[in-house]
Amino acid sequence: MPRASSSSSCRASREAPQRRPLRWAAPSTAVMKFAGLAGGIGSGKSTVAARLVERGAVVLDVDQISREVQQPGQPVYRAMVARWGDAIVGPDGALDRQAVAHRVFADHDELAALMAITTPAIEASIYARVAAHHDTDRVVVLEAALLARNPRLYGIAGLIVVDVPEELAIRRLVTGRGMLERDARARLANQPPREARLQAADFVIDNSGGLEALDEQVEAAWAWLGSLPDGRLEARPSPAGPSPPATGAG
Ligand code: ATP
């Protein structure tokens, strides 16, 4: 009896640490909502994103992620410097994005090399960050200018497109951001047409009014996000899939 008792208590104490994690890891019924946020340059994506965050959304900015994986010390940084040399490193040791852009955008092979170096790391980071919220009741929004080219990337359930007439976007970029008008025009000319974005949209935010009008639309978008089906994160079919959402050198 003492033995049995001691053996059973011994078993209990060995099993306990295994049972506890199982109980803690019991499947949650919550599943995230998963959406995309796209729009032309200067359309107001960041302004909308900030308002969604105020309402409780988790916004993942693909351009920001792309910059993070290119920080000094990261494998992507080392691979880029190994290929293009110190000419792409600024005086502070960080990548000189202009120099990178200069190196790759006129040369298809170099651009393909940049994609091959950066895309897997960007995708892995996006995937991990979205996955961290999968079994929660959060609204997860992936913000990327080019998502309209592939609105269901990563299993996104719905795409919000922020829309403004091009002349208004240019005016805001010049007055609000201090961008040179010719640079704003050049960047706008480089992006897919407004109509293509609108066609890809599941929900359009018209940002041609003031900030108060924008708030009302963000409120409607927030309600729409809550009505999306439960999110299902999917791996991107790379490398044969469509263009990635960001190159990190634009
Ligand atoms: P980018 O493509 O460069 O990342 P974006 O789409 O994120 O730009 P924002 O930075 O949000 O655009 O907005 C561009 C500029 O327009 C900013 O200066 C912002 O403050 C201003 N802006 C955005 N929406 C409005 C609005 N409804 N009324 C007035 N100004 C606005």
Side-chain angles (χ1 to χ4, degrees), residues 123-244:
E123 289 181 358
S125 180
I126 291 172
Y127 193 89
R129 289 175 201 218
V130 178
H133 296 287
H134 189 279
D135 295 333
T136 71
D137 59 359
R138 304 301 295 271
V139 172
V140 180
V141 178
L142 195 60
E143 178 191 349
L146 299 184
L147 264 182
R149 282 187 183 161
N150 190 357
R152 295 293 175 261
L153 206 61
Y154 303 104
I156 280 169
L159 180 68
I160 297 174
V161 168
V162 187
D163 179 61
V164 293
E166 295 199 342
E167 287 304 317
L168 181 54
I170 290 168
R171 198 155 71 236
R172 284 180 179 164
L173 286 169
V174 171
T175 56
R177 292 260 206 84
M179 196 180 274
L180 290 177
E181 182 175 337
R182 69 157 193 276
D183 290 349
R185 287 195 186 280
R187 290 188 63 182
L188 252 98
N190 232 347
Q191 64 181 19
R194 185 180 175 195
E195 294 70 35
R197 281 191 298 276
L198 289 172
Q199 258 177 16
D202 299 296
F203 190 102
V204 176
I205 291 182
D206 172 2
N207 190 21
S208 55
L211 290 172
E212 211 170 297
L214 180 63
D215 266 332
E216 282 170 25
Q217 296 194 62
V218 172
E219 193 58 39
W222 182 243
W224 174 79
L225 286 166
S227 75
L228 285 176
D230 287 346
R232 225 186 49 230
L233 176 60
E234 291 168 7
R236 182 167 172 270
S238 132
S243 308

